[in-house]
Amino acid sequence: MQSTAAKVDRYVTFEGIECDDYARQVVVYIRDCLADGDRPSAWQDYFERKLIENAGMGQDELFLVGSQVNYIRELFEHYQHAEGLDLLDKIEEECC
């Protein structure tokens, strides 16, 4: 008999879903993109400002990612950041 792991349903519980960890990693990826001086993005200033504002308001990374998901997607697409795009999809599916 084959065992199948049950998928966690965010509408039931966030237990077992590492949303905060995922969001922290997305912010790391955003910072990596911003540090790429060879291919600056039109989103550079925007995200530098948003990261400062988010910290100043005392908001966590999940708040930032959840409220900026479409803009983050554009940033990651600009940098062809496949890992960032995959993780962003995972956050949208599991955490938002």
Side-chain angles (χ1 to χ4, degrees), residues 5 14 22 27 29 46 55 71 76-77 80 82 94 96:
F14 282 104
Y22 298 159
V27 170
Y29 291 155
Y46 179 81
Y71 305 121
F76 288 165
E77 287 173 351
Q80 299 174 340
E94 295 181 7
C96 295

Side-chain angles (χ1 to χ4, degrees), residues 77-92:
E77 287 173 351
H78 173 83
Y79 287 101
Q80 299 174 340
H81 199 299
E83 290 175 13
L85 288 166
D86 289 345
L87 188 54
L88 196 58
D89 288 341
K90 186 176 187 95
I91 288 174
E92 280 192 290

Side-chain angles (χ1 to χ4, degrees), residues 11-22:
Y11 295 111
V12 175
T13 180
F14 282 104
E15 187 174 322
I17 303 174
E18 303 298 326
C19 296
D20 291 328
D21 292 337
Y22 298 159

Side-chain angles (χ1 to χ4, degrees), residues 63-80:
F63 176 83
L64 174 72
V65 172
S67 63
Q68 303 295 320
V69 70
N70 292 326
Y71 305 121
I72 295 169
R73 181 172 309 285
E74 288 189 36
L75 179 77
F76 288 165
E77 287 173 351
H78 173 83
Y79 287 101
Q80 299 174 340

